[in-house]
Amino acid sequence: MIQKPKGTEDIILKKAKQIKYIERLVDEVMDKYNYNYIETPIFESTELFHRSVGDTSDIVTKETYDFLDRGKRKLTLRPEGTAGVVRSYLENKMYSLNNQPVKLYYNGPMFRYERPQAGRTRQFSQFGVEVFNSDDPLIDAEVISMSVNIYKMLGLSDIKVNINTLGDKESRDNYRKKLIEYFTPKIDNLCSDCKERLKKNPLRILDCKKDAENEIIKNAPSILDSLNKESKERFNKVCEYLDILEVPYVINTKVVRGLDYYNHTVFEVEDKSITGGGNVIGAGGRYNSLVEELGGENVPAFGYAAGISRILLALEKEEVELDLKDDIDLFILYVNEEEKKYALYLTNELRMNGFTVETEYLSRSLKAQFKQADRLNSKFITVLNSEDLDNNEIKIKNNKTKEEEIINIDALIYYLEENLDLYEEKEAEYDNE
Ligand code: ATP
Ligand code: MG
């Protein structure tokens, strides 16, 4: 039998429900914050990622899925969402929309050729936001706070927000020099990737996974000592605004992020319940120069992305159960062909009126149909009966209390509305006890 490609997963059954739950919540929250949904292609020109994510990043050096299409175009399955959104922002001239800043959010699959492990797959879904054309630290604080709000609403509590600043270009150049001075005499004690990083992008050494515990990295100079006045003030503002939003955070100067395009604020949200690496459930930061690097004007931007499977892992580790719908409103049982036809009609009618309804599809015995209704956690059931139907009546039973009533069919929708509400209230009381 053919199996799924290495590092991919089938999202099925409970996991699929959990993911849908998260996606719905994200949609709702984005609606409250007034973000516009955006979809961009899953593949883009390879060059886009080289120019945005950066030639020295892990993603571009070792993780992209590159291919030539039949027209010999160089394409890449997107490893992250920002590059495509920035391209689309420029291509669709969103900078000239009346409504500024432009606030966008996306949700979809990303692809990275990585060593698969828990919470790290080759195809994974991220949702994320990008805000264009505001350099206000308020945006930085608001996006960080929004991400924390989403995690909280999902029921996660073991959350830690690490923030840092990379400063503006002057501060960063200054810092780069200090890092080169510091690391050059010590480089033989670091991994081979770090040796490369020292030449191309020394900041990235701080982000090394292999050497994370190495004292040399731990004792490296802090960016905070290289910031110029403006960058320092800007960072203080972000912190001040986060305090107002009551976001608990720690300043962690080792957070530099894996992508080349960041400046000023960067942040990572960890779930401490996930041990042994891969505990970052979302991350982002400011990228004021990326739009220009991709051919646009000087448009400041801020973004954030969260890995959905990482969130699932966090939920599992924290033993949080999402409130997944695992029941239906009504199961319609029947025996003969005439009743079956009515069942067919009625299921359709009730579904169109907003109820979750199932009926029998396997011609099972009544006894087996009752069992099926239980398996589906049906709140109500009805056993159709030709005689009742001739009298325009229907028998309906509360499947929990087993109380049964005969009602006029014309009153069925009203009856269900009323009684499902009562049912929910009783359930809620029961849950509170
Ligand atoms: P990591 O350090 O874990 O490799 P990253 O720096 O590569 O993360 P980003 O590019 O910032 O991650 O992506 C944002 C989020 O997407 C991560 O915080 C994580 O939750 C998720 N993510 C990244 N790579 C994967 C993957 N291979 N599988 C599942 N989720 C991922
Ligand atoms: Mg990575």
Side-chain angles (χ1 to χ4, degrees):
M1 219 178 33
I2 296 173
Q3 297 189 328
K4 60 182 161 35
K6 183 175 177 188
T8 62
E9 55 178 354
D10 295 317
I11 309 278
I12 57 169
L13 304 170
K14 183 173 180 195
K15 200 168 199 182
K17 279 193 180 175
Q18 289 174 309
I19 285 182
K20 275 284 157 205
Y21 182 101
I22 295 171
E23 289 179 340
R24 282 200 195 107
L25 179 81
V26 168
D27 284 338
E28 274 170 31
V29 173
M30 294 301 165
D31 186 58
K32 302 284 179 287
Y33 282 83
N34 203 26
Y35 279 81
N36 272 301
Y37 181 66
I38 178 171
E39 269 183 32
T40 61
I42 280 172
F43 54 86
E44 298 269 2
S45 312
T46 298
E47 195 198 341
L48 175 67
F49 301 110
H50 282 269
R51 282 181 50 188
S52 59
V53 179
D55 287 330
T56 62
S57 65
D58 277 1
I59 294 185
V60 162
T61 50
K62 341 186 250 226
E63 297 177 359
T64 49
Y65 276 89
D66 303 316
F67 63 100
L68 286 180
D69 75 0
R70 290 169 198 270
K72 300 277 185 296
R73 295 173 190 87
K74 282 189 185 164
L75 299 170
T76 295
L77 296 183
R78 64 181 185 196
E80 54 94 56
T82 302
V85 174
V86 174
R87 182 206 44 71
S88 171
Y89 171 85
L90 288 172
E91 203 165 327
N92 294 291
K93 301 188 174 54
M94 286 190 241
Y95 43 81
S96 53
L97 292 173
N98 278 331
N99 201 343
Q100 299 289 332
V102 174
K103 293 161 63 177
L104 305 171
Y105 86 100
Y106 60 83
N107 175 24
M110 309 294 161
F111 305 83
R112 297 185 193 175
Y113 193 80
E114 307 206 60
R115 202 164 61 80
Q117 46 193 291
R120 192 179 294 283
T121 45
R122 292 182 172 178
Q123 175 174 341
F124 59 98
S125 277
Q126 280 183 346
F127 66 84
V129 306
E130 314 293 346
V131 182
F132 294 99
N133 206 10
S134 168
D135 193 23
D136 198 316
L138 186 123
I139 295 282
D140 309 31
E142 198 185 87
V143 172
I144 296 172
S145 150
M146 179 183 72
S147 77
V148 172
N149 286 346
I150 291 174
Y151 301 132
K152 270 198 204 152
M153 287 165 91
L154 286 169
L156 295 174
S157 51
D158 222 359
I159 295 292
K160 183 177 167 200
V161 182
N162 295 286
I163 69 166
N164 188 22
T165 178
L166 304 176
D168 60 6
K169 190 166 182 312
E170 187 188 71
S171 310
R172 206 171 152 160
D173 287 348
N174 191 357
Y175 186 46
R176 199 185 136 92
K177 272 188 216 126
K178 282 196 196 160
L179 285 180
I180 294 176
E181 257 168 50
Y182 173 81
F183 280 121
T184 302
K186 305 180 177 66
I187 196 66
D188 287 338
N189 300 311
L190 296 178
C191 75
S192 57
D193 283 343
C194 284
K195 291 193 180 87
E196 270 312 293
R197 291 182 183 117
L198 181 61
K199 284 182 225 148
K200 290 180 181 155
N201 190 346
L203 214 75
R204 188 63 42 67
I205 297 177
L206 302 176
D207 197 32
C208 180
K209 303 254 155 57
K210 284 183 214 146
D211 287 331
E213 292 306 310
N214 192 317
E215 290 296 319
I216 298 176
I217 294 190
K218 283 188 174 166
N219 297 328
S222 158
I223 175 83
L224 300 180
D225 301 322
S226 299
L227 295 178
N228 59 19
K229 190 159 167 280
E230 279 124 302
S231 298
K232 207 174 276 167
E233 278 172 6
R234 196 184 185 291
F235 189 53
N236 288 342
K237 272 286 165 216
V238 175
C239 295
E240 201 181 324
Y241 293 162
L242 284 172
D243 290 336
I244 292 175
L245 292 167
E246 294 178 5
V247 175
Y249 60 86
V250 293
I251 295 171
N252 178 348
T253 55
K254 295 293 178 294
V255 173
V256 295
R257 307 298 307 126
L259 314 179
D260 271 348
Y261 50 59
Y262 289 108
N263 59 7
H264 290 297
T265 314
V266 286
F267 75 104
E268 287 183 350
V269 185
E270 284 175 71
D271 191 289
K272 287 179 287 175
S273 302
I274 304 175
T275 47
N279 62 355
V280 177
I281 57 175
R286 186 160 277 288
Y287 51 94
N288 285 352
S289 55
L290 180 60
V291 178
E292 201 170 353
E293 274 162 40
L294 289 178
E297 304 272 300
N298 179 9
V299 178
F302 193 94
Y304 154 79
I308 294 189
S309 54
R310 292 280 172 90
I311 295 177
L312 286 184
L313 193 63
L315 289 167
E316 188 191 313
K317 297 288 183 202
E318 287 202 31
E319 296 180 19
V320 176
E321 285 293 334
L322 299 176
D323 185 14
L324 302 175
K325 180 173 152 58
D326 63 348
D327 54 14
I328 64 169
D329 296 332
L330 179 70
F331 190 83
I332 302 177
L333 298 78
Y334 62 86
V335 181
N336 65 34
E337 179 65 17
E338 190 198 341
E339 293 156 5
K340 180 179 185 176
K341 283 182 186 154
Y342 195 73
L344 176 67
Y345 161 80
L346 194 58
T347 27
N348 180 55
E349 205 51 29
L350 292 174
R351 285 169 179 164
M352 295 304 284
N353 275 281
F355 302 103
T356 309
V357 186
E358 277 244 52
T359 189
E360 173 60 16
Y361 304 107
L362 296 172
S363 309
R364 281 173 285 207
S365 69
L366 264 190
K367 195 173 157 209
Q369 291 184 43
F370 280 115
K371 269 201 193 135
Q372 176 66 359
D374 289 342
R375 251 181 244 125
L376 294 171
N377 294 323
S378 196
K379 293 173 196 156
F380 288 87
I381 58 171
T382 176
V383 185
L384 296 184
N385 165 310
S386 308
E387 220 172 283
D388 291 346
L389 296 178
D390 289 344
N391 295 328
N392 206 35
E393 285 179 335
I394 194 162
K395 224 181 262 143
I396 184 152
K397 188 161 149 186
N398 180 317
N399 203 24
K400 199 169 212 175
T401 63
K402 307 295 176 196
E403 282 162 330
E404 193 173 71
E405 276 185 79
I406 296 183
I407 60 166
N408 190 296
I409 290 187
D410 303 328
L412 180 58
I413 288 177
Y414 178 73
Y415 180 92
L416 282 175
E417 274 168 0
E418 288 276 287
N419 285 280
L420 284 167
D421 282 348
L422 284 175
Y423 193 101
E424 297 295 334
E425 279 169 28
K426 287 229 177 80
E427 288 284 283
E429 270 172 37
Y430 180 77
D431 283 348
N432 287 337
E433 269 165 23

